[in-house]
Amino acid sequence: MKTALVMYAASETDANLFYATKFLVGDPVPFVQIGRRKMLVLSDLEIGRGRDEADVDEILSLSDLSRRIGKGATMARIIALTLKDRGVSACDVPGNFPLELADQLRALKIKVTAKPAPLYPERLLKTPAEIRHIEAAQRATEEAVEEALDVLRRAKIRGHKIYANGDVITSESLRRVIDVALMERACVAKNTIVASGDQGCDPHNRGTGPIQPDQTLILDVFPRSAKSHYYADMTRTVVKGTPSAAIQKQYRAVLDAQEGCIAGVKHGVNGKVLHDEIRANFEKQGYKTEPRKGKMVGYFHGTGHGVGLDIHEAPSIGGRDSVLETNAVVTVEPGLYYPGIGGVRIEDMVLVTKSGCRNLTKFPKESLRL
């Protein structure tokens, strides 16, 4: 029995559909793949552009299929007709396939089975073209962060605040510098993190209010290229002013852990082993991971994740077994977080090779103080 692969999604937000079609569309559309033959069902609004741009074998008209069905031409009936026209009565779907649509297909005598991730295993290993796309996004990221740091370098500390051109520098104003710089480089930023002091102890706190002198400032920037739709990801921690001895010690511990992990990345290595080594070394240095006053402190997130058409994808360097393979792109981003001292995180992206890895990040990280 032939089985099709079926998706119903918007490729602007669904990386698997964009990977399969190279066609960007904002509303959900049906996609059917039987063997190596790929088909898209498009409305009159999109069909002309789809025939020009989509990397598929066949574009089907939603209007034509609806007319054949007549009254009650639901999306389930349109997909079922597309399958039955080709002698198919079973399909695999991704885990995010709409449950209601799956139930409707089953009611139409189509066998629907959820396919375990990854839907396209080849997405995990990047081609030379994909690596170039990621590096291009990374260069834009680095240039945007440099613009933000230049603002801080030229700024003046007065009391407990930092001023540039007479205005207090805030997380919001510095984030605007980064996001605008990325937009000028055809990249789209979302949820850029600019978190000062204890705000940085919550790794996903975007940061609000005035940036504090003499305290850590985490800049975590992960834009998507508007041209290629691939992501980049980089984090740097800096201090405007004079870092305390505790901050300097914490920064050195994170930097050493990050560089040690990068040195250990290579084909065939289990990411969990690398992650566990970092946690053990932090513990030996007295950096305990534990709950304090209802919040976790220490090192309580994974060390890295894959980057590509999704900002977080396989493989991983973390608490679960995940073997790294040649041409995977992963982040390496250990961190330590202690209220009263602040958060420190340093992140690069690396390309896994047979004998080691190539760091795709060129931005300096050795200097903490601006």
Side-chain angles (χ1 to χ4, degrees):
M1 181 176 65
K2 287 193 295 186
T3 299
L5 173 64
V6 174
M7 287 186 270
Y8 182 68
S11 57
E12 280 191 0
T13 53
D14 190 286
N16 282 317
L17 184 57
F18 181 77
Y19 184 83
T21 65
K22 304 299 185 289
F23 181 62
L24 204 64
V25 62
D27 294 316
V29 296
F31 168 86
V32 175
Q33 181 171 348
I34 302 172
R36 300 180 67 176
R37 187 169 183 81
K38 297 184 291 185
M39 291 156 272
L40 272 175
V41 180
L42 298 179
S43 67
D44 293 342
L45 177 67
E46 298 287 8
I47 198 165
R49 189 170 66 90
R51 285 171 174 157
D52 290 338
E53 299 177 10
D55 182 19
V56 298
D57 301 290
E58 189 175 358
I59 299 289
L60 304 177
S61 167
L62 180 65
S63 295
D64 289 348
L65 291 168
S66 298
R67 278 191 289 269
R68 286 180 58 192
I69 295 168
K71 188 177 180 180
T74 64
M75 189 55 64
R77 292 184 182 278
I78 287 165
I79 294 172
L81 178 60
T82 301
L83 296 175
K84 290 177 179 177
D85 277 350
R86 289 153 182 83
V88 175
S89 59
C91 66
D92 292 333
V93 299
N96 63 349
F97 192 81
L99 177 60
E100 183 180 21
L101 184 54
D103 286 343
Q104 291 170 351
L105 286 171
R106 292 184 179 113
L108 295 169
K109 309 302 181 184
I110 301 294
K111 181 181 178 182
V112 180
T113 304
K115 183 178 179 181
L119 192 67
Y120 289 104
E122 56 269 33
R123 271 189 59 198
L124 277 59
L125 308 180
K126 305 304 186 282
T127 66
E130 289 178 300
I131 295 165
R132 288 193 297 271
H133 293 325
I134 293 169
E135 287 189 283
Q138 179 59 26
R139 297 291 84 76
T141 301
E142 293 170 1
E143 291 170 9
V145 171
E146 179 60 29
E147 288 197 20
L149 295 187
D150 190 53
V151 170
L152 287 172
R153 292 188 191 100
R154 292 184 284 105
K156 304 297 182 183
I157 297 174
R158 296 205 298 268
H160 297 292
K161 294 181 179 178
I162 306 171
Y163 291 82
N165 301 319
D167 296 324
V168 174
I169 299 179
T170 64
S171 291
E172 292 85 352
S173 66
L174 205 59
R175 180 160 44 243
R176 189 179 308 116
V177 170
I178 294 171
D179 290 353
V180 169
L182 287 166
M183 181 180 64
E184 292 173 342
R185 292 160 175 81
C187 289
V188 179
K190 188 177 181 181
N191 296 322
T192 299
I193 294 171
V194 182
S196 174
D198 283 353
Q199 289 184 1
C201 293
D202 179 352
H204 285 168
N205 188 327
R206 295 180 64 210
T208 58
I211 291 170
Q212 303 297 311
D214 308 324
Q215 294 189 24
T216 60
L217 174 66
I218 292 179
L219 307 172
D220 189 347
V221 186
F222 39 97
R224 185 187 192 191
S225 168
K227 295 179 179 179
S228 70
H229 310 293
Y230 283 81
Y231 281 89
D233 200 357
M234 182 179 80
T235 306
R236 291 294 182 265
T237 302
V238 297
V239 173
K240 175 64 178 180
T242 304
S244 67
I247 290 173
Q248 294 182 61
K249 181 182 177 184
Q250 186 167 308
Y251 186 87
R252 175 49 59 181
V254 172
L255 181 59
D256 288 346
Q258 199 237 11
E259 292 182 336
C261 184
I262 290 174
V265 169
K266 66 177 181 179
H267 177 86
V269 167
N270 189 337
K272 183 178 186 301
V273 172
L274 298 174
H275 174 74
D276 289 347
E277 287 176 354
I278 290 177
R279 294 199 65 175
N281 285 332
F282 280 158
E283 289 281 342
K284 289 178 182 177
Q285 296 176 68
Y287 292 110
K288 293 187 177 298
T289 299
E290 59 189 10
R292 294 181 189 172
K293 299 180 180 179
K295 291 188 175 183
M296 292 298 296
V297 302
Y299 184 38
F300 47 87
H301 60 70
T303 297
H305 55 84
V307 177
L309 287 171
D310 281 317
I311 185 57
H312 294 108
E313 57 185 45
S316 67
I317 305 176
R320 298 180 180 179
D321 291 321
S322 183
V323 176
L324 306 182
E325 296 184 67
T326 298
N327 291 330
V329 173
V330 293
T331 65
V332 180
E333 50 178 309
L336 286 171
Y337 311 92
Y338 293 95
I341 300 174
V344 174
R345 184 165 67 256
I346 304 170
E347 176 185 23
D348 292 348
M349 288 190 306
V350 302
L351 172 68
V352 180
T353 67
K354 185 175 181 179
S355 59
C357 68
R358 177 166 70 88
N359 198 329
L360 305 181
T361 306
K362 307 300 182 186
F363 204 80
K365 56 189 172 184
E366 287 72 23
S367 178
L368 168 67
R369 182 176 179 178
L370 293 176

